[in-house]
Amino acid sequence: QVHVMESGGGTVQPGGSLTLSCTVSGTPFDSLTMGWFRQAPGKEREVVSCTSRSGTGTRTADSVAGRFTISRDNAKNTLYLQMNSLKPEDTAMYYCAAVKNLGSFCYDSRHEYDYWGQGTQVTVSS
């Protein structure tokens, strides 16, 4: 059984930084395409960033490009999202998602992912 778990959320002032982590168990981590998604109250879940199984193929939403960086450490079975220059509009529940995929690309649609964590809340407020 695949288990996905996020950590690292919290409350931060505008302009601050946070790093989210996501660990996966139950399947080889390096066979997984991974993605970060977020959902604000009353809005649809949207992609933040995704990465291929090797980490060489990544995609990032325009709204966070230049501020957020996705990375992964396959030896530690962990995915990261470094978030800098946070804005109030970044406030949302952030979800980690995974799908088995041996390709060198990642998916920016939530419908492509099979495994999801419970989410971690990020609040940006002064």
Side-chain angles (χ1 to χ4, degrees), residues 6 12-14 16 26 30 37-38 40-41 56 58 60 65 70 82 87 99-100 107 111 114 122-123:
E6 307 92 341
V12 64
Q13 293 186 342
D30 60 4
F37 291 79
R38 67 185 182 185
T56 57
T58 63
T60 301
I70 191 171
Q82 175 66 45
K87 304 176 181 180
V99 61
K100 295 181 181 180
Y107 304 108
H111 302 294
D114 294 324
V122 172
T123 301

Side-chain angles (χ1 to χ4, degrees), residues 23 98 101:
T23 58
N101 174 30

Side-chain angles (χ1 to χ4, degrees), residues 17 23 33 60 74 83-84 103 126:
S17 298
T23 58
T33 287
T60 301
N74 286 349
M83 305 186 294
N84 298 326
S126 55

Side-chain angles (χ1 to χ4, degrees), residues 1-4 24-28 100 115-116 118:
Q1 184 175 357
V2 179
H3 186 239
V4 179
V24 179
S25 60
T27 195
K100 295 181 181 180
Y115 310 108
W116 292 84
Q118 293 299 308

Side-chain angles (χ1 to χ4, degrees), residues 92-104:
M93 185 71 78
Y94 282 71
Y95 296 91
C96 176
V99 61
K100 295 181 181 180
N101 174 30
L102 299 181
S104 59

Side-chain angles (χ1 to χ4, degrees), residues 7-63:
S7 62
T11 299
V12 64
Q13 293 186 342
S17 298
L18 278 176
T19 300
L20 304 184
S21 299
C22 170
T23 58
V24 179
S25 60
T27 195
F29 186 71
D30 60 4
S31 70
L32 299 171
T33 287
M34 301 294 300
W36 286 105
F37 291 79
R38 67 185 182 185
Q39 187 168 18
K43 295 188 177 181
E44 290 191 357
R45 192 170 299 189
E46 62 178 7
V47 66
V48 175
S49 190
C50 66
T51 179
S52 63
R53 66 189 186 101
S54 67
T56 57
T58 63
R59 303 174 75 172
T60 301
D62 290 343
S63 59

